[in-house]
Amino acid sequence: MTVALALLTTALVIVFALLAAAGAAKLARLDGATYPAALTRAAATFAAVITLAAAVTGALAALLA
């Protein structure tokens, strides 16, 4: 059960990160950025969301241990 919960949580975090990255790319394009610049902003947003999720997971693990 714990493994299934971990996989589900991981999948949800990745989907959320992809949605945030797509939103950042769309906003960058609407702002007039080129496709490579929009892709760079999307990649940075994706990495930031994944990093934030890892930090929150680490903090919660330290609190619950």
Side-chain angles (χ1 to χ4, degrees), residues 7-41:
L7 288 175
L8 179 63
T9 304
T10 302
L12 286 174
V13 167
I14 290 174
V15 166
F16 182 71
L18 287 172
L19 286 172
K26 181 63 177 173
L27 287 174
R29 284 295 296 156
L30 288 174
D31 196 35
T34 62
Y35 282 107
L39 187 60
T40 301
R41 291 183 192 178

